[in-house]
Amino acid sequence: MSARRARLGVLVSGGGSNLQALLDAARQEDFPAEVACVVSNVPTAYALERARQAGVRAEVVDHKHFGAKADFEAALRGVLADAGVEWVCLAGFMRLVSADFLKHFPGRVLNIHPSLLPAFPGLHAQRQALERGVKVAGCTVHYVDAGTDTGPIIAQAAVPVLPEDDEASLSARILAEEHRLYPLAVRLVVTGAVTLDGLRTRVDAIVTGDGRALRSPGAPK
């Protein structure tokens, strides 16, 4: 009998390329998580079509239909609960989630951001990096807290900033790393390889060249 897989709920607002990376990873027999549902606050988001093509439940909870954020988030939680979601992955979800939402998934909400946090949080991180003239950029998967891109860091990937880069070319290079990093980070957290220690994390795993995460010898199970 195959091992039980963690159930992910992915929140999206746009094209959903990071969602696609998670869907592709979930097709692997040894991946420890499955995408149980995809929820978008934007009815026209192409990410919904990606979910449908993968045979995954796709739902719309349009924030514009709610007078209060609390009501919008209650509707989101209802969909996630109905799908039996255990972990929430933000993948281009253009709404900040509240502390009240987070308390329903304690330590189980992840986000991916296109910078090496804590540098350049918020919108247009790649543009910020170019404006500041950094030589190395990248992406970060982190736990979500009540701040903006301030939660404990789980994993990061770096890319060089080239002299000829503009925002589009740098964004594309970072995005390729995001597609590799997000499934890896999900693998780490759902298998218990990541331990929270205040604002920091400890990762008890060895990452192989093909992106597989293996528990370190002697790591707690």
Side-chain angles (χ1 to χ4, degrees):
M1 182 179 295
S2 61
R4 180 187 177 279
R5 302 205 293 170
R7 294 178 65 80
L8 309 178
V10 185
L11 304 186
V12 296
S13 296
S17 68
N18 273 309
L19 164 65
Q20 189 66 57
L22 294 173
L23 291 169
D24 292 345
R27 293 193 186 100
Q28 303 169 14
E29 290 186 4
D30 69 337
F31 195 69
E34 61 182 319
V35 179
C37 75
V38 173
V39 189
S40 179
N41 65 308
V42 179
T44 57
Y46 182 67
L48 294 166
E49 180 59 25
R50 292 182 187 271
R52 296 183 186 111
Q53 290 177 6
V56 172
R57 176 176 175 178
E59 300 281 354
V60 175
V61 180
D62 190 339
H63 64 280
K64 295 178 181 178
H65 294 171
F66 297 87
K69 183 174 184 176
D71 295 333
F72 166 63
E73 290 190 340
L76 274 182
R77 294 198 311 271
V79 173
L80 296 172
D82 186 62
V85 165
E86 299 162 298
W87 292 83
V88 178
C89 296
L90 310 184
F93 185 60
M94 303 306 290
R95 308 293 297 177
L96 294 176
V97 295
S98 69
D100 183 67
F101 179 91
L102 294 173
K103 77 179 183 181
H104 288 84
F105 301 93
R108 293 195 172 204
V109 182
L110 312 181
N111 183 46
I112 189 160
H113 182 74
S115 79
L116 294 174
L117 293 172
F120 313 125
L123 297 175
H124 308 301
Q126 304 93 326
R127 185 186 307 170
Q128 294 182 61
L130 289 169
E131 289 173 347
R132 293 299 300 270
V134 301
K135 308 309 178 188
V136 179
C139 53
T140 303
V141 179
H142 62 95
Y143 290 105
V144 177
D145 63 12
T148 300
D149 303 320
T150 54
I153 291 168
I154 299 164
Q156 293 182 302
V159 303
V161 179
L162 305 179
E164 64 273 18
D165 267 331
D166 57 18
E167 188 175 356
S169 63
L170 179 59
S171 296
R173 196 176 312 114
I174 291 172
L175 189 61
E177 289 301 308
E178 291 180 42
H179 296 164
R180 180 188 65 82
L181 192 68
Y182 214 171
L184 170 61
V186 168
R187 182 186 290 274
L188 291 170
V189 297
V190 304
T191 57
V194 181
T195 303
L196 271 169
D197 181 14
L199 295 178
R200 303 179 65 178
T201 62
R202 184 179 74 249
V203 179
D204 295 312
I206 299 169
V207 179
T208 64
D210 61 359
R212 291 167 59 84
L214 307 176
R215 297 303 296 273
S216 300
K221 296 182 179 179

